[in-house]
Amino acid sequence: MKNTFTAEWIRLSAKRTWLIAIPLTIVYSAILTVVMIDQAPPRAAGGVSLQALGQSGGATLAVRAAVSFTSVLILALFVGMSAGSFTRGTWRASLLQQPRRVVLAAGTFAARIAVGAVVVAVLFLAGIVTAYAMAPGKGIDTGAWLDLASWRMAAEDYLRTMCFVVGWGVFGTMIGTVTRSVPIGLGAGIVWAGPLENILGDRLSFGGQWFPGLLLRYVVAPETAVVTGITLVLRLALYAVVALVLVAVLLQRRDVTS
Amino acid sequence: MNAQKQTRPGHNARDAERVDVVAVTGLTKRYGRRTVVDGVDLHLARGSITGLIGPNGAGKTTIMAMLLGLVRPTSGRGTVLGHDLSRPGDYLSRVGALIEGPAFFGNLSGRDNLHYFARLGGHNRGVIPEVLELVGLQGREGDPYRSYSLGMKQRLGIGAALLGDPELVVLDEPTNGVDPAGMRDIRAMVRRIAAQGRTVLISSHLLAELEHVCDRVVVLDQGGLRYSGALQDLPGSRAEVILLRGLDTSDNDALGRMLSGRGLAVERRADGFAVEVGRGDPAQLAGELSRCAIEDGVRLVELHHQRQSLEDRVLDLVGTGTRS
């Protein structure tokens, strides 16, 4: 698995990738943070408000809340990468070098998540810098942003965001593996994660309780959560196990043909 | 199955597994009711170059995919490099393959693609410059893969197959889409690969291509085995002949008399004579005829050995070969 991870990490972390990904992430983070802070109400029961922004953890609050808007983007990336490896034939070519299919898939996925972790770190840093830049203009007190509680909350926000990325990554990889087609996978994934989850989830109490995309949203936007704590963790773990088993079974049992 | 199989004397499954790099029997693949490969036996001797021949849909790629663990056989058993066919993970590190066309990352250079696959397989990346030289991509190794011509892509695919210093090299249609000069290069490359002591299994529907590189052929049709054996032993419908033609009418008349007096099977043709080689050595017979012509004062302007091309002999076995 180490070889697979390293190969994929080096492939993805080519200079050109960073030259595109880092500036885009910085701009994306800055725009989202500006919008979140600019639109923040003076006070709110939960979520982003000027009052909450002025407390410990305020520096990462806006960017963490903004991450929930990136679900479709993460899904599309993972569907594209996994389905694309089938359509381009690189999955077949890779199997000729690493015939253990689950090891190949796991190492590749881990490398993609590792690249995601770097991108999320940049996302947070850019969000913090933007928040610092905006704070004086909005009358936000940044005095508590560097205290111990803030560091702890920043770490928690980062982990929540990574959980969100891994969740959508698993979901996207599953769709890509099932469909083995980029357009079909993207179509199915976007329709489900966009309109279906959000419209049905808002109207059906079952949807709000069980839809995987909404459960993942609760991780980064706990103020909107219908399900919390251990129940949320168990339901997400259940989805992850089902998705990973499905992917493993499909990869193991399917013939690899063009 | 009406296969005209040729087996070596004393050859049995146990012997085959000991000496053959690939020894599989009864290899079958069905998709629902459709049988794609039907009980094929395949034996590849170490160091041989074996051509897998057949029209489109004959099952060539599926057989290769089963040997490479990409497709699970419906039935059949055997060994590849001494390991059970059902456990490809045990032997694939010693096998290099290009199957169903080259597949690389378009944004990476040829060299970076080879680095990626070498890392994936845990191979020594120090061999990459040597591999690039062997496949003739030195000087272009830094260019993005997407800028490569089809021939260059095929060569990079062969290069990737050689990364792990494989004992068995499986090449599926390596000359597909390649121009005549590129085909010649790939032919030479395959010979170089075999000269390094590797066993090569190569498929192509361009039979003339295989005729130039293979010493054994396996002919398939509609998933079934039609022939397996030495290339020169592949049966043909027309006899192997020596063609002779005299300088003018008087020479041709003298030639006719000379040939008829020697008890040879001779056919008179519009522009000369065709002498059947039979079971003898064609080179020896041609030499003998040349000597006789000189002794009899016959002036020859043509004397050459003509045998059915591989294409003709394969088409005799499998029909027109237009299925796909």
Side-chain angles (χ1 to χ4, degrees), chain B residues 21-22 42-52 64 67 81 94-98 158 161-162 166-172 174 186-203 210 213-218:
Chain B
V21 169
V22 173
L42 185 65
H43 300 276
L44 304 187
R46 191 169 293 279
S48 63
I49 309 180
T50 303
L52 205 50
M64 288 180 158
L67 295 178
L81 293 163
R94 295 157 62 199
V95 179
L98 164 65
I158 296 172
L162 299 176
E167 291 169 55
L168 170 63
V169 179
V170 178
L171 301 173
D172 180 23
I186 289 177
R187 252 186 351 239
M189 201 188 306
V190 169
R191 284 200 205 96
R192 283 200 297 273
I193 292 166
Q196 292 168 337
R198 307 177 207 273
T199 306
V200 179
L201 176 63
I202 180 170
S203 79
L210 292 183
V213 291
C214 297
D215 43 42
R216 294 180 65 82
V217 289
V218 173

Side-chain angles (χ1 to χ4, degrees), chain B residues 51 256 298:
Chain B
V298 178

Side-chain angles (χ1 to χ4, degrees), chain A residues 29-68:
Chain A
S29 176
I31 290 171
L32 285 177
T33 306
V34 167
V35 171
M36 294 298 282
I37 293 177
D38 190 56
Q39 300 296 313
R43 290 171 192 281
V48 182
S49 67
L50 293 177
Q51 183 193 33
L53 285 165
Q55 295 169 356
S56 295
T60 54
L61 179 62
V63 72
R64 189 258 291 155
V67 163
S68 62

